[in-house]
Amino acid sequence: MKALKIATFNVNGIRSRLPALLDWLAREQPDIACLQELKAADRQFPRGELEAAGYGCLYHGQPSWNGVAILARGGEPLEVRRGLPGMEDDQQSRYLEAAVHGVLVGCLYLPNGNPQPGPKFDYKLRWFHCLIEHARTLLVSEHPTLLAGDFNVVPTDQDIYNPKSWRKDALLQPESRACYERLLEQGWTDAVRHLHPQAQVYTFWDYFRNHWARNAGLRIDHLLLNPLLADHLKAAGVDAWVRNEPKASDHAPVWIELSTRKRR
């Protein structure tokens, strides 16, 4: 296992946020970056600019909505899967899996599910169940593996500034939280919460009602590690400074550092 820095970042429109994305990559230099909500077709993806910045690219785009990508610093991601098993009829670009720098990476943008109840929430749960089934097969493999992305679920009330005003939101529904818990029960490690069990950690601040200035945030972007990777987990955090930049995404990048040596 080699030392790696791996991050996930919902960019909320890669074309309009490209300068901010390039600034973040230059400053933080993750070895692997998982991106969500590209809002761009494959032909619109800024491959040239990212390659000029030193990153190989793999992307699964969609005009105006959704879209995921995996970037590799000084390398090329090797595609393993595009889309989730069981969701072959899905028209939305939400899952991409690749081998990168010796790690199997599943980059995901889980459906929001609002408004609930209704078809969008049903779709969210169906997608989540397919992810759980696929995650089980990944977990038992002999490869160091992680699931990274915008899960659109607030795992517990600790992960939100004030749960009262969000009780009816799909991100806090008991069914959504139960699905996330089922993932963890398989043996995945929530890296940020594992290393910061009591900390106030947020990854998303709504554009409305002054959420950023008030630090009224939610933790919905996660990095889940299988036991082989969790043994090497060294550090984890959020690049909150990105949320304060001009024309920022409403999310901030979440990152982990992996050590060459196992934790004792």
Side-chain angles (χ1 to χ4, degrees), residues 189-207:
T189 295
D190 181 334
V192 169
R193 189 51 74 203
H194 180 74
L195 291 184
H196 306 287
Q198 304 300 325
Q200 182 188 73
V201 180
Y202 302 140
T203 68
F204 167 85
W205 298 261
D206 203 313
Y207 288 128

Side-chain angles (χ1 to χ4, degrees), residues 77-109:
L78 177 62
E79 182 174 334
V80 175
R81 174 176 292 279
R82 186 172 292 243
L84 273 178
M87 295 294 296
E88 286 78 12
D89 61 336
D90 193 7
Q91 299 300 308
Q92 301 186 24
S93 301
R94 293 185 174 275
Y95 187 81
L96 192 59
E97 191 174 297
V100 194
H101 294 318
V103 176
L104 185 64
V105 177
C107 174
L108 62 100
Y109 178 42

Side-chain angles (χ1 to χ4, degrees), residues 5 17 21-23 28 36-37 41 43 45 80 112 130 140 161 181 190 195 223-224 226-227 236 254 256 261:
K5 183 175 183 179
R17 318 278 183 205
L21 173 61
L22 293 172
D23 286 347
E28 302 296 344
Q36 302 87 40
E37 212 170 347
R43 60 181 174 77
F45 188 85
V80 175
N112 176 281
C130 289
V140 299
Y161 71 101
E181 188 62 30
D190 181 334
L195 291 184
L223 290 147
L224 305 187
N226 76 342
V254 187
I256 60 171
R261 296 182 179 181

